[in-house]
Amino acid sequence: TDLRGEPVLYDRLLRARNRQWLPALDAAASRQSPPFVIVGAAHLVGPDGLIALLQQRGEIVGGGIGERRGCGHPHACRHQHRP
């Protein structure tokens, strides 16, 4: 079912939770080793998804395992990498 037809449920389960996760993702990305983040697929897609929220902030976000973008890691990355 499409949760956008249930605005309160959509906000609680997806929109609000995705925005609440951004500080935790920032903290994970600032560590030396790349973070490994697992979320349900519904949290990734659409204008309120984590990928869109990170891209709105100018982050480079890989689309899947093995995809190479930006620093070469498949995640939003702002930290320094060791050669």
Side-chain angles (χ1 to χ4, degrees), residues 10 14-15 18 42-54 56:
Y10 177 81
L14 295 174
R15 183 183 298 134
N18 288 347
H43 292 284
L44 298 176
V45 297
D48 298 308
L50 290 170
I51 291 174
L53 294 174
L54 291 168
Q56 288 169 13

Side-chain angles (χ1 to χ4, degrees), residues 12-76:
R12 286 184 186 164
L13 292 180
L14 295 174
R15 183 183 298 134
R17 287 175 68 191
N18 288 347
R19 292 187 188 286
Q20 290 170 352
W21 283 339
L22 290 176
L25 294 175
D26 288 339
S30 69
R31 297 187 185 114
Q32 278 204 305
S33 60
F36 184 75
V37 178
I38 299 173
V39 299
H43 292 284
L44 298 176
V45 297
D48 298 308
L50 290 170
I51 291 174
L53 294 174
L54 291 168
Q55 288 175 333
Q56 288 169 13
R57 298 182 345 175
E59 305 287 352
I60 297 171
V61 181
I65 295 172
E67 183 171 323
R68 297 280 213 218
R69 297 170 80 177
C71 69
H73 288 108
H75 64 276

Side-chain angles (χ1 to χ4, degrees), residues 29-33 73 77-83:
S30 69
R31 297 187 185 114
Q32 278 204 305
S33 60
H73 288 108
C77 186
R78 293 187 312 264
H79 59 272
Q80 296 293 325
H81 293 282
R82 298 179 193 157

